[in-house]
Amino acid sequence: MNSLNSASAAVLGAVLNTLWQAAAATALVWLALRYTHLQAGARHRVWWAWLGILLLLPALPTAMRARKERHAALVYQVQVTPAAVAVRPVAVEAPARVQVKAKRGPALLFGIWLVLVMLQTIRLSWSFLHLRRLKRDALRPGLALRENFDAWVLACGVNRPVRLLLSDRLASPMAVGFRHPAVILPAPLIGKLSADDLDHVILHELAHVARRDDWTNLAARIAAALVGWHPAAAWVLRRIDREREIACDDWVVAATGAPRPYAASLARLFELCWTKDREILATGMAGRGSQLGDRIEMLVRRTGQAAQRGSLTRVGICSAVLVVLLVAGSRAPRLVAFAQDNATRAAARPLPPPNPQSFLGAVVAAGYGDLSVDDIIALKNHGLSADYLRGISQAGWGKLSTQQLIDLRSRGVSTDFLRDIREGGIRDLSISGVIDLHAHGVRAEYPREIHSLGFGPYSAEQIMDFSAHGVRLDLFRALKEGGFLRLTPNEIFEAQNSGLQAGNLREAKQYGAGLSLSQVIKLKRAGVI
């Protein structure tokens, strides 16, 4: 529970410390987009890029401090007690201006956030299932309407397989994804719209399909479920929704070249099918979040046509400026910190990289910073050097006991042997098994080559028996050449004692491929081969 509370406090503190930076930078992005005259499609991309940067902003100061600490010269403070030795860095960091007692508050906030995320996930799942049922129950329109729809699909170059459907359960048109997108129109709306109005409706929904707004809308809803509590992120998500609809308006105007008739169609559609209900996973031109009033005013004021795609160059420039803002904001001092007890702070404080020339530093770097003074002295007295401890750590055996370290060193087991024998594929290999293999003179390459031929895997005791009986690698190669791989150690010993060689196996195979190893051994002992 303490670790969860500490982690929650760290995250909450990082968010609070960067909240003003996020708000200020978001305002600057809004001003920049307002006066650079980018198309809505480009603004839509910029807001998505800025949302990603907002999510990284709380973590960046911590990453910058960690990078600075890795390259800074740290002072070690060694505290020796009768029980243990602890190595801690003396790091100087500007204190936060406001210290807040953590207690259990951050963990409680994390629990509330988790519940809200689960509720939003349930809402998204319900909307997804509802849209599937809606698309399944919808009907295909008449031939004339389908031909008109297909003509617009071809004329606008929509490269997704999209269908036109009608439904009595809808109040306004919408584009529904994901793998099999469809444009669904309210059936009662068909007879109330003129041909031009209907074309405008179809083009707007096709714009959502062509721009893959079904997927970006899903990503926006997931982001809202996760970070919707963040003021700047919530505002950016609303801008993303707004720019998405304006980008589709630009798409229609680019296809028709007539902004004012399209604005009139929007006004007519708003009168016919305005509703408070809205599907959160569907995109529509007359939903509650479509901001029809502002869009109609923009269309009426427009004098020229709009491009369907935003400028990637301008988006790249804006994104570069956003990154500069992000790095600059990460260097600001902390304003808020959650005070924790000394034990929690000591546990949360990362240890510095140890001095490679120090025995104590090597002990800590190898993961043995919790050893008692007596254990450290015992390791030193038995000749364990800093290089040996470092080699043990790099051999991949994890943390060994003090006695195991002493046994390895006193038996003369080198770190190279310890690493190589581990890579030999020996079954259930332990440190005592390594010591026994070394004592019996087994080369580290011996088990690896046996297993690479397809035999085994064998245990340490079986490998030692092979070595003690003088079983050479040539015999294993000959047995593999003869097709004898699934053998017990006793069968291999019998083959070794009979003096079986590769030539004997080849000669036996000339007689018949179905001979077993025991039959070949009988032929060898009888002098037949």
Side-chain angles (χ1 to χ4, degrees):
M1 187 64 182
N2 287 334
S3 59
L4 175 62
N5 196 63
S6 300
S8 303
V11 173
L12 185 58
V15 172
L16 292 177
N17 282 306
T18 57
L19 197 59
W20 70 270
Q21 303 166 17
T26 300
L28 291 176
V29 174
W30 176 79
L31 287 173
L33 293 180
R34 184 177 178 85
Y35 294 104
T36 51
H37 304 294
L38 290 178
Q39 298 296 338
R43 296 196 301 270
H44 187 255
R45 293 181 176 88
V46 170
W47 283 123
W48 267 114
W50 180 240
L51 180 63
I53 292 176
L54 280 180
L55 299 181
L56 295 176
L57 184 58
L60 192 60
T62 302
M64 297 288 287
R65 285 195 299 269
R67 182 177 180 273
K68 185 177 180 180
E69 288 175 359
R70 283 197 300 268
H71 295 280
L74 298 177
V75 180
Y76 286 82
Q77 180 183 21
V78 182
Q79 299 176 346
V80 182
T81 66
V85 174
V87 181
R88 294 189 179 94
V90 179
V92 179
E93 183 180 356
R97 297 183 180 180
V98 180
Q99 293 283 339
V100 181
K101 291 185 177 181
K103 295 184 178 180
R104 301 299 180 190
L108 179 60
L109 290 177
F110 173 77
I112 295 174
W113 172 81
L114 196 60
V115 171
L116 293 177
V117 170
M118 292 177 62
L119 292 176
Q120 288 294 327
T121 303
I122 293 173
R123 186 185 178 202
L124 288 173
S125 302
W126 181 90
S127 180
F128 175 76
L129 295 176
H130 177 66
L131 290 177
R132 285 190 61 182
R133 289 192 299 268
L134 191 67
K135 189 161 55 172
R136 181 191 61 199
D137 298 338
L139 303 175
R140 298 188 65 186
L143 179 61
L145 193 56
R146 290 203 310 270
E147 290 179 347
N148 181 61
F149 179 80
D150 293 339
W152 279 119
V153 171
L154 292 175
C156 297
V158 180
N159 57 3
R160 298 179 69 186
V162 56
R163 298 178 296 162
L164 179 64
L165 299 173
L166 301 179
S167 175
D168 293 328
R169 298 162 54 188
L170 281 183
S172 62
M174 64 175 56
V176 181
F178 296 91
R179 293 178 56 189
H180 306 289
V183 172
I184 307 180
L185 304 180
L189 193 66
I190 302 302
K192 299 178 182 180
L193 293 177
S194 65
D196 290 340
D197 291 341
L198 192 58
D199 285 344
H200 291 153
V201 170
I202 290 175
L203 280 171
H204 184 95
E205 304 306 330
L206 280 178
H208 283 304
V209 175
R211 287 168 37 84
R212 301 184 183 274
D213 285 336
D214 47 344
W215 291 104
T216 58
N217 186 42
L218 174 63
R221 300 289 73 80
I222 294 175
L226 296 175
V227 296
W229 46 268
H230 192 290
W235 190 85
V236 169
L237 286 169
R238 288 195 294 272
R239 299 300 301 184
I240 287 174
D241 289 343
R242 181 178 186 272
E243 299 300 346
R244 181 186 65 235
E245 295 300 327
I246 296 176
C248 291
D249 292 340
D250 291 347
W251 207 86
V252 176
V253 172
T256 61
R260 289 181 179 271
Y262 176 58
S265 297
L266 286 181
R268 174 64 174 160
L269 187 68
F270 181 77
E271 294 175 358
L272 292 175
C273 57
W274 181 87
T275 177
K276 293 183 179 180
D277 296 330
R278 183 188 179 197
E279 296 295 340
I280 59 175
L281 287 184
T283 52
M285 64 187 299
R288 182 178 57 181
S290 59
Q291 300 179 346
L292 268 174
D294 293 342
R295 291 162 53 198
I296 291 173
E297 183 179 357
M298 293 174 61
L299 289 168
V300 171
R301 292 181 178 179
R302 181 174 296 174
T303 57
Q305 296 186 7
Q308 293 185 11
R309 297 182 180 272
S311 170
L312 293 179
T313 302
R314 292 183 179 181
V315 172
I317 294 174
C318 290
S319 299
V321 174
L322 297 182
V323 172
V324 173
L325 291 175
L326 175 63
V327 175
S330 67
R331 299 180 179 275
R334 294 186 305 159
L335 299 179
V336 179
F338 288 89
Q340 304 173 40
D341 56 89
N342 294 333
T344 303
R345 285 200 300 269
R349 181 181 300 171
L351 290 175
N355 182 359
Q357 304 302 324
S358 166
F359 180 75
L360 285 179
V363 169
V364 174
Y368 298 94
D370 57 346
L371 293 181
S372 67
V373 171
D374 293 336
D375 287 338
I376 293 178
I377 294 174
L379 293 178
K380 187 70 174 178
N381 290 339
H382 282 82
L384 275 83
S385 63
D387 291 336
Y388 192 81
L389 285 174
R390 194 157 40 247
I392 291 288
S393 176
Q394 295 171 355
W397 280 89
K399 187 175 181 179
L400 304 180
S401 67
T402 303
Q403 189 59 49
Q404 287 175 328
L405 292 172
I406 294 174
D407 290 343
L408 287 171
R409 184 58 177 171
S410 60
R411 300 296 180 88
V413 179
S414 68
T415 56
D416 291 338
F417 181 85
L418 193 63
R419 182 189 63 250
D420 294 340
I421 202 69
R422 180 177 177 272
E423 297 172 354
I426 299 176
R427 187 179 73 245
D428 300 330
L429 183 61
S430 63
I431 292 298
S432 60
V434 172
I435 294 174
D436 291 339
L437 288 168
H438 184 268
H440 283 77
V442 178
R443 296 183 298 108
E445 298 81 6
Y446 185 67
R448 182 170 64 244
E449 293 180 9
I450 291 175
H451 292 146
S452 67
L453 292 173
F455 295 91
Y458 298 115
S459 65
E461 291 77 8
Q462 291 170 332
I463 294 294
M464 286 186 288
D465 289 341
F466 289 148
S467 178
H469 284 80
V471 181
R472 302 183 307 277
L473 291 173
D474 291 340
L475 178 59
F476 284 102
R477 296 189 184 99
L479 291 172
K480 179 181 179 180
E481 183 182 349
F484 301 108
L485 287 174
R486 299 182 179 275
L487 301 176
T488 65
N490 290 333
E491 290 175 322
I492 296 176
F493 295 148
E494 190 176 358
Q496 169 71 17
N497 295 334
S498 67
L500 199 64
Q501 298 179 357
N504 303 135
L505 290 169
R506 285 193 293 269
E507 185 178 355
K509 286 294 182 181
Q510 293 177 359
Y511 175 76
L515 291 177
S516 65
L517 181 61
S518 61
Q519 292 172 329
V520 175
I521 292 175
K522 286 181 180 181
L523 293 174
K524 172 64 177 177
R525 287 175 174 171
V528 177
I529 56 175

